[in-house]
């Protein structure tokens, strides 16, 4: 049985060697399986690629794929999965926040017949408090409004069978949101939790703004609720304006015409203007997504690799 370890790396020169040593230590203790590393260099600006090349020289199991620029972790994971050949594939971060020590447990789950063994972070002590707060709210919200279920704390750290990997890469959308995709494709998944740790070295690649954009992408990728929001909002506003209209007509009939009313007029006008803009904005968000998806550009572009027959993404 062959197991591929897909590791997206962006400017990870500070931890890559440490990761490799740690992973090899775990893998050496596992019998009955062969392992391959697929390191994906996501356009790093430091010497991440040089480290990968050195590791590949020393260890034949090491494959690397280097992008022509930074495409983002989603693209890196997709490229890794697309170029994997193993019966099982694990995705894990390079910073040791996803402990390779869990791999034996994951293999056990696969032997039990699961198609996927996913992990859940029991705590978030490795993350800033504010980020934890917003992440929790985000998962609460997205699980209410979207068609897929994404457990809070569920990361990308998981082992999948070939069957599931093929399903995941068959979903070839350009704007990828893997947490949703994993859940959407289905299959029997075993959940195991682990205590999270701080990054072994180097720093996080996520800014608050970056995470916010990612959250928006996740919502629009797996839910059309925001589009329906305009319908609800519009109906509530029109219904209440109609009631208000009846009130005004009756009032005018009973008490005659009155001039004051500027304040109420301007308030209603501004409120309606705001609602219209909100709805346009929501629609714009989805139209932008359609536009990007329709262009059908490759999710990643490979610059250098030592993979035998690398699968690019040009034919999609
Ligand atoms: N990563 C990547 N491309 C990017 C950003 C991140 O391949 O544009 C990789 C990064 O090298 C790491 C993983 O994604 O292996 C998770 O990134 P990070 O540790 O910065 O995120 P956090 O753990 O803070 O969520
Ligand atoms: Mg990390």
């Amino acid at each position: 049985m062959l197991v591929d370890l897909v590791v997206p790396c962006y400017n990870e020169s500070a931890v890559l060697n440490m990761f490799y040593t740690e992973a090899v230590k775990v893998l050496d203790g596992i019998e009955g399986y062969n392992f391959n590393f697929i390191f994906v260099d996501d356009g790093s600006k430091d010497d991440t690629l040089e480290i990968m090349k050195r590791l590949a020289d020393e260890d034949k199991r090491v494959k690397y794929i280097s992008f022509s620029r930074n495409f983002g972790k989603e693209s890196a994971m997709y490229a890794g999965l697309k170029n994997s050949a193993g019966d099982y594939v694990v995705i894990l971060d390079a910073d040791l926040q996803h402990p390779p020590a869990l791999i034996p447990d994951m293999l056990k789950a696969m032997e039990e017949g699961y198609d996927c063994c996913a992990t859940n972070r029991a705590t978030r002590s490795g993350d800033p408090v504010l980020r934890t707060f917003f992440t929790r709210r985000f998962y609460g919200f997205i699980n209410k409004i979207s068609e897929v279920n994404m457990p809070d704390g569920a990361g990308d750290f998981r082992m999948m069978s070939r069957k599931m990997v093929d399903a995941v890469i068959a979903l070839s959308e350009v704007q990828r949101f893997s947490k949703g995709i994993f859940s959407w494709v289905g299959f029997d998944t075993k959940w195991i939790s682990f205590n999270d740790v701080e990054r072994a070295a180097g720093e996080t690649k996520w800014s608050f703004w970056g995470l916010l954009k990612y959250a928006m992408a996740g919502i629009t990728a797996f839910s059309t609720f925001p589009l329906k929001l305009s319908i609800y909002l519009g109906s509530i506003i029109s219904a209440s304006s109609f009631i208000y209209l009846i009130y005004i007509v009756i009032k005018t009939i009973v008490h005659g015409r009155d001039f004051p009313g500027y304040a109420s007029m301007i308030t209603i006008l501004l409120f309606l203007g705001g609602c219209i803009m909100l709805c346009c904005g929501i629609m714009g968000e989805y139209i932008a997504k359609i536009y990007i998806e329709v262009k059908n550009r490759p999710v990643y572009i490979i610059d250098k690799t030592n993979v035998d027959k690398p699968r690019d993404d040009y034919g999609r």
Side-chain angles (χ1 to χ4, degrees):
M1 285 283 220
L2 180 66
V3 183
D4 287 323
L5 274 65
V6 169
V7 191
C9 306
Y10 179 50
N11 296 343
E12 297 291 8
S13 59
V15 283
L16 202 53
N17 277 314
M18 223 189 293
F19 169 82
Y20 174 77
T21 322
E22 192 71 25
V24 165
K25 218 188 289 170
V26 175
L27 304 183
D28 282 349
I30 302 174
E31 276 177 24
Y33 292 94
N34 291 318
F35 295 92
N36 269 340
F37 289 91
I38 302 177
F39 288 114
V40 185
D41 166 33
D42 185 12
S44 300
K45 288 171 190 71
D46 60 1
D47 44 6
T48 299
L49 178 60
E50 279 64 45
I51 298 174
M52 287 178 186
K53 283 182 175 164
R54 218 194 48 239
L55 291 175
D57 285 341
E58 291 164 5
D59 184 346
K60 289 285 150 266
R61 297 176 296 177
V62 173
K63 306 277 173 245
Y64 64 83
I65 295 168
S66 180
F67 288 174
S68 59
R69 65 167 170 87
N70 179 247
F71 279 88
K73 186 186 175 187
E74 286 290 343
S75 306
M77 290 194 292
Y78 178 61
L81 291 179
K82 224 172 153 168
N83 283 282
S84 68
D87 302 294
Y88 301 143
V89 181
V90 198
I91 305 176
L92 63 181
D93 286 0
D95 57 7
L96 289 171
Q97 281 186 309
H98 295 164
L102 284 185
I103 292 176
D105 289 344
M106 292 177 152
L107 285 170
K108 210 175 290 159
M110 305 306 273
E111 281 161 11
E112 283 167 23
Y114 287 97
D115 274 297
C116 177
C117 181
T119 60
N120 222 324
R121 286 202 286 172
T123 56
R124 283 182 175 273
S125 49
D127 279 353
V129 181
L130 204 62
R131 175 166 163 183
T132 306
F133 174 80
F134 282 111
T135 312
R136 290 249 154 88
R137 296 292 87 72
F138 168 70
Y139 281 108
F141 182 63
I142 196 159
N143 281 323
K144 273 211 190 78
I145 64 165
S146 75
E147 61 206 68
V148 297
N149 180 40
M150 296 173 226
D152 182 12
D156 303 315
F157 181 28
R158 61 179 63 219
M159 183 179 280
M160 289 175 278
S161 65
R162 172 80 351 224
K163 204 162 59 176
M164 177 156 172
V165 170
D166 288 341
V168 168
I169 51 187
L171 280 125
S172 62
E173 54 225 67
V174 180
Q175 302 152 95
R176 305 184 70 76
F177 190 73
S178 288
K179 288 182 186 86
I181 293 177
F182 294 143
S183 160
W184 191 90
V185 296
F187 294 108
D188 279 346
T189 302
K190 179 169 185 173
W191 288 91
I192 53 179
S193 27
F194 69 104
N195 287 325
D196 89 330
V197 285
E198 301 222 358
R199 217 174 210 287
E203 46 194 53
T204 176
K205 310 299 177 300
W206 289 100
S207 61
F208 187 75
W209 181 241
L211 278 172
L212 192 68
K213 283 209 296 206
Y214 189 59
M216 283 285 286
I219 291 171
T220 47
F222 281 94
S223 165
T224 47
F225 174 79
L227 282 173
K228 293 192 193 103
L229 197 70
S230 344
I231 300 177
Y232 300 140
L233 207 67
S235 337
I236 293 170
I237 292 167
S238 350
S240 33
S241 337
F242 189 70
I243 296 168
Y244 188 60
L245 181 132
I246 296 173
Y247 164 75
I248 301 233
V249 169
I250 295 175
K251 193 168 155 242
T252 314
I253 293 170
V254 176
H255 295 292
R257 219 185 303 161
D258 60 352
F259 270 106
Y262 176 75
S264 60
M265 281 283 277
I266 203 79
T267 322
I268 292 166
L269 208 70
L270 288 176
F271 178 65
L272 285 179
C275 291
I276 293 167
M277 258 153 72
L278 175 77
C279 298
C280 288
I282 292 170
M283 279 190 264
E285 214 30 64
Y286 282 91
I287 292 170
K289 273 195 108 97
I290 298 169
Y291 173 61
I292 294 171
E293 219 57 63
V294 157
K295 282 197 283 192
N296 207 22
R297 287 186 176 161
V299 173
Y300 60 90
I301 294 172
I302 299 178
D303 179 17
K304 302 182 183 71
T305 177
N306 69 343
V307 173
D308 275 345
K309 289 193 190 77
R311 286 184 65 188
D312 61 34
D313 200 33
Y314 302 148
R316 291 192 49 70

